[in-house]
Structures are given as structure tokens and as C-alpha cells.
Amino acid sequence: MYLTQRNQIKGLTKTEYEALREMCRYAKNLYNVGLYSIRQYFFLEGQYRRYDSHYHAVKDNENYALLQAGVGQQILQVVDRSFRSFFTLLKKAKQGEYRFHDVKIPHGQLRTQLENLCDRYGIRYVEQEESYTSQASFLDSDTMPIWNGSHQNVAFSGKRVKRGLYRTADGHLFHAETNGAANILRKSNHRLDVERVARGLLANPLRVKLT
């Protein structure tokens, strides 16, 4: 089992600690903004957005403004290096110089490490079978068989029409990842009542304590 290393900075005042924590949060947020921006540009334009263009598109983000300019630029450069490495690997794969199945994640080893980690901290570890959850329609209550080693001839009510969107039997568009996640809940035998959950959200007002 692999463990992670955590470094502690001692001797900070409460003000210094809060400031450091806030800056770490801004840095994390800016990295995610940069990541999302490059991905969306690639999905729309079909090409990589270089750093100079990407920087001007992201520099007006509030998280960039809350950090020093040099720090913000370094964070965006880390995003740029990560994506350039990714696209270099894609190019090599198309030329036959890189085989993805040789760098694939050893899922069996990952599950074992996760199970050991849960056992270490007293967390119950449960593996959930997820076959056909992305193909079945949650809103239409499609039946989802269990994977038996070969594709089964199953007809589903809806289908994924494009990245991120799933169309149900009556033509409604549904977020594909939400559809899959809801189907996983169905397979895990959780009692999922969407109507009851929505009604509870509407019936519970926000409480504000006035001092």
C-alpha cells in the first residue's frame, strides 16, 4: 500500500495560516479554470489553444486577480505543459510510436490499494458493478443487465446523442453523466426518489441566524 506525504508549516500566526489557505484555494481554482478553458476550446475548435492565447482568455478571471501575477502565470504554464505532453502522446500514438494499452491503469492493483486504505481508516469498502449504466435511460427506468463477458442484445429507451447529452424516449435531453450516476444508484439498490428529493429542497427554507 502506498501512502502520501504531508508537509506541515509550523510557526504561522492565525492570520498567516488563513492567508496561506486562501491562496492555495485560489491557485487550485485557477488551475481548474485553465484546465476547463483549454478543454472547451479543444471540443469547439478541434485544436489546442496555445499559452499566449490561453493566458489572455483567462487572466481576467477573479482567481487570477487574487494571486500575484507571477504566481498566476506559473499556474497557467503548468496547465499548458500538461496539455502539451498529452497532445504529444496523442501524436505519437497516431504514428504508432506509443501504445496506450502499455501505460493503462492497473485497476486491480488500484482497487487493492483503495481497499487497504479504507481498512486502515475504518471505512467500509464496497465494489459496485456498473455495466450498461451509461446506455440505459434513468428517467425511463430501463432494465440494466449484469455484464457476463459478452454484449447482450438489450434495447434501451434512449441514447447518448453527443458528448454530455442523453436523449430519453420522449425526446427530453438529460445530462449524460447525471443519467449514468443515477443508474449506478439504481444498481446499488439505494432508495432513490427524485420527486421526494426535489420536494424536500423546495420545502426547506434557508435559515439565517441574525446576531
Side-chain angles (χ1 to χ4, degrees):
M1 179 175 64
Y2 295 99
L3 300 178
T4 58
Q5 176 178 321
R6 181 173 65 180
N7 297 323
Q8 294 183 345
I9 303 177
K10 298 182 178 180
L12 296 177
T13 65
K14 182 178 180 180
T15 302
E16 291 171 336
Y17 171 78
E18 293 295 337
L20 181 60
R21 190 167 75 166
E22 284 295 300
M23 286 189 291
C24 289
R25 185 166 65 88
Y26 300 147
K28 178 263 297 181
N29 290 345
L30 182 60
Y31 183 90
N32 289 336
V33 169
L35 189 70
Y36 177 81
S37 176
I38 291 181
R39 289 178 70 251
Q40 292 304 110
Y41 184 86
F42 177 75
F43 293 151
L44 294 175
E45 305 295 335
Q47 58 184 354
Y48 175 63
R49 190 171 202 170
R50 297 186 177 276
Y51 173 76
D52 293 339
S53 173
H54 180 230
Y55 163 74
H56 288 291
V58 178
K59 68 177 183 179
D60 293 331
N61 181 267
E62 60 179 2
N63 294 286
Y64 183 90
L66 291 169
L67 295 167
Q68 293 183 352
V71 175
Q73 291 171 8
Q74 290 182 26
I75 293 172
L76 295 178
Q77 288 172 3
V78 171
V79 178
D80 179 72
R81 288 197 298 269
S82 299
F83 266 101
R84 282 193 284 111
S85 298
F86 172 72
F87 282 105
T88 298
L89 291 179
L90 286 181
K91 183 178 180 180
K92 288 186 175 182
K94 291 179 180 179
Q95 296 173 348
E97 301 176 2
Y98 181 80
R99 298 187 302 173
F100 284 103
H101 63 271
D102 294 335
V103 297
K104 64 183 179 181
I105 299 176
H107 290 96
Q109 183 180 357
L110 178 62
R111 288 196 298 267
T112 300
Q113 294 176 8
L114 183 59
E115 184 176 8
N116 291 337
L117 189 63
C118 289
D119 182 68
R120 176 185 176 89
Y121 291 99
I123 302 173
R124 181 169 174 249
Y125 174 82
V126 178
E127 292 188 5
Q128 176 60 48
E129 188 270 336
E130 302 178 2
S131 55
Y132 301 100
T133 53
S134 63
Q135 301 176 50
S137 174
F138 167 72
L139 294 180
D140 296 311
S141 301
D142 283 350
T143 300
M144 294 173 290
I146 297 177
W147 172 258
N148 61 3
S150 61
H151 288 289
Q152 302 181 43
N153 187 20
V154 182
F156 298 109
S157 301
K159 65 178 180 179
R160 185 181 295 228
V161 292
K162 66 176 183 178
R163 182 181 181 87
L165 287 179
Y166 186 95
R167 178 178 286 123
T168 62
D170 56 5
H172 286 93
L173 292 178
F174 192 38
H175 193 284
E177 298 303 325
T178 304
N179 177 72
N183 280 329
I184 292 174
L185 286 176
R186 289 176 57 207
K187 277 209 166 188
S188 63
N189 294 322
H190 281 283
R191 296 181 61 186
L192 183 62
D193 187 340
V194 177
E195 182 180 354
R196 181 171 58 85
V197 172
R199 184 169 62 248
L201 292 175
L202 292 174
N204 293 319
L206 176 65
R207 293 184 177 181
V208 179
K209 183 177 180 181
L210 301 176
T211 58

